[in-house]
Amino acid sequence: MRIVRATETFSAELKEFMCAAVQRRRDDDGFRGSRGGGKSRNAMDLDSDSGNRLVCVTGGVSYLGRAIVKRLLVHGYSVRIVVDCPEDKEKVSEMEADAETASFSNRITSVVSRLTEIESLLKAFDGCAGVFHTSAFVDPAGVSGYSKSMAELEAKVSENVIEACTRTSSVRKCVFTSSLLACTWQNNTYNNLDYSVINEESWSDEQLCIDNKLWYALGKLKAEKAAWRIADSKGLKLATICPALITGPDFFNRNSTSTLAYLKGAKEMYSNGLLATMDVNKLAKAHVCLWEGLGNKTAFGRYICFDTILSRDGAEKLAKDIGVQIEKICGNNNDSDANAETDASLQISDKKLLDLMSRTLRSCYHES
């Protein structure tokens, strides 16, 4: 079950397109005004980073990373994509040739960097106004593709990325992709009224994740906590976004390992009304909204992000999409019926994010 939220309408979508158009107009004005001399006031006022429109995206060739890169380009940013190996640079070339991004290809660059080495990250981030950290890790040898060692690695890389952000003079802020799983796996969540709403104050229990071998949830939990520990101690502007299971066009073929890792414990999440999904393109919009909110001081802290709490029909569709039996996700019909009334009070709240995005759309609409 979810907290009541505003319904998406055509009007809201129209405002969003207008928002992007306003941003492109600002970019054009700033470009024309800067010819033949110093930077114009328009160019300098684009955001709080003195007009710096270059941002870095780790994992920029991943399923989510690609969507974020495309959204940033539409909003007028230049993007430097961090890739793990030279072979991944070919994927960047594919993005540059893609019909949706071909017209922005002059604003896409890539750099090979080891996320396990701070010095390598310092070079990758240099000159960027900030970082979108979306990288996740997989272990092909793991049963679910995500092992306990991957959880430890993800936490270590998180420390490195945030530390590198704080040591790079040009970097002012970071948007960090966590997971809803970093919020939902709690002891007594379903018996204590204090925990009947999952929101930005909610944190999963580390020992519970270990005991139940929920390695993906553990990795996201430890990584996000590490990010906040360093950012808070060193004054970095940070916002973290905690999305539900990421879906969208061809999502399983393009993101199968993370999908299966997320769904460890799916039956319990479903029975408690906490199995949710999030469209990848809408999630990318939310990332950019947080980025711009950090610049104008309207965004702060953690944000839960989801589209849909899965019903039985939704669970059946998900099972079909990923090629598993429905019982793997939500058990049998008798189990679902037995839990229907018991879990009606469980809620996930994304009100904080919806309020932020609503303010952003209204602001762009009035400026247009």
Side-chain angles (χ1 to χ4, degrees):
M1 182 175 178
R2 73 182 303 152
I3 295 289
V4 176
R5 59 185 285 180
T7 303
E8 289 185 352
T9 64
F10 174 77
S11 176
E13 292 293 322
L14 178 60
K15 288 180 182 179
E16 190 212 342
F17 284 120
M18 293 179 70
C19 184
V22 169
Q23 187 62 71
R24 287 194 297 270
R25 186 182 67 201
R26 287 176 178 168
D27 295 341
D28 292 341
D29 290 345
F31 176 74
R32 288 193 294 269
S34 64
R35 290 183 178 178
K39 294 180 180 178
S40 70
R41 183 174 181 82
N42 283 342
M44 293 296 290
D45 287 343
L46 283 171
D47 57 28
S48 62
D49 304 307
S50 299
N52 187 354
R53 304 291 290 176
L54 176 62
V55 296
C56 193
V57 180
T58 68
V61 296
S62 68
Y63 186 58
L64 173 60
R66 285 174 180 247
I68 292 174
V69 168
K70 289 178 181 179
R71 180 55 47 178
L72 286 166
L73 293 170
V74 168
H75 278 251
Y77 293 93
S78 295
V79 182
R80 181 183 297 165
I81 299 173
V82 175
V83 296
D84 297 326
C85 58
E87 290 75 15
D88 279 347
K89 290 178 75 73
E90 296 180 9
K91 297 179 181 178
V92 177
S93 298
E94 293 174 4
M95 292 176 65
E96 292 173 331
D98 185 274
E100 292 186 66
T101 54
S103 60
F104 305 115
S105 61
N106 63 323
R107 288 197 272 118
I108 304 174
T109 57
S110 62
V111 58
V112 178
S113 176
R114 292 185 178 275
L115 300 181
T116 54
E117 299 175 3
I118 291 181
E119 293 301 320
S120 182
L121 288 169
L122 290 172
K123 294 177 182 178
F125 296 169
D126 185 42
C128 295
V131 175
F132 287 78
H133 180 50
T134 73
S135 287
F137 299 88
V138 297
D139 179 10
V143 175
S144 69
Y146 198 96
S147 61
K148 185 177 182 179
S149 63
M150 293 297 99
E152 299 299 330
L153 176 61
E154 187 146 355
K156 180 60 179 176
V157 165
S158 172
E159 293 177 353
N160 290 347
V161 167
I162 303 302
E163 180 67 30
C165 286
T166 66
R167 289 169 53 182
T168 305
S169 60
S170 63
V171 171
R172 295 288 183 269
K173 48 194 178 180
C174 176
V175 174
F176 184 104
T177 308
S178 181
S179 173
L180 182 60
L181 298 183
C183 310
T184 56
W185 288 104
Q186 303 174 42
N187 276 318
N188 300 320
T189 296
Y190 315 118
N191 300 316
N192 188 331
L193 290 179
D194 292 338
Y195 294 101
S196 61
V197 175
I198 301 296
N199 59 25
E200 288 75 16
E201 301 298 319
S202 306
W203 288 94
S204 290
D205 182 271
E206 185 171 327
Q207 191 59 51
L208 178 69
C209 292
I210 293 172
D211 292 345
N212 290 278
K213 298 183 179 180
L214 301 166
W215 306 131
Y216 190 77
L218 179 67
K220 294 302 182 183
L221 173 65
K222 295 184 70 171
E224 188 184 356
K225 284 192 170 182
W228 278 116
R229 183 179 68 251
I230 298 172
D232 286 344
S233 66
K234 299 196 175 182
L236 176 70
K237 288 183 180 179
L238 175 68
T240 60
I241 188 164
C242 302
L245 175 67
I246 301 172
T247 59
D250 200 29
F251 76 95
F252 187 64
N253 287 332
R254 296 167 61 187
N255 198 36
S256 59
T257 302
S258 293
T259 298
L260 293 175
Y262 187 103
L263 290 172
K264 179 71 179 295
K267 285 189 286 188
E268 185 173 352
M269 285 188 281
Y270 175 81
S271 68
N272 291 300
L274 298 176
L275 183 56
T277 59
M278 183 64 198
D279 176 78
V280 66
N281 292 310
K282 292 179 181 178
L283 179 56
K285 295 175 188 177
H287 276 76
V288 177
C289 184
L290 287 190
W291 170 264
E292 296 181 340
L294 282 173
N296 60 31
K297 299 181 181 180
T298 58
F300 58 91
R302 307 175 80 206
Y303 289 84
I304 283 179
C305 184
F306 71 102
D307 246 346
T308 306
I309 302 291
L310 292 189
S311 63
R312 178 78 185 192
D313 288 345
E316 289 178 350
K317 182 179 184 306
L318 175 62
K320 182 178 180 180
D321 287 341
I322 67 176
V324 302
Q325 296 295 317
I326 182 63
E327 290 76 16
K328 295 287 187 180
I329 294 178
C330 60
N332 57 48
N333 278 310
N334 291 333
D335 291 339
S336 301
D337 293 341
N339 286 312
E341 292 297 325
T342 303
D343 302 319
S345 62
L346 295 179
Q347 301 170 331
I348 308 174
S349 173
D350 56 355
K351 182 178 184 300
K352 184 180 176 184
L353 179 61
L354 291 175
D355 287 347
L356 174 66
M357 297 187 75
S358 177
R359 288 196 301 271
T360 301
L361 290 176
R362 285 199 300 268
S363 174
C364 292
Y365 178 70
H366 290 311
E367 290 179 25
S368 65

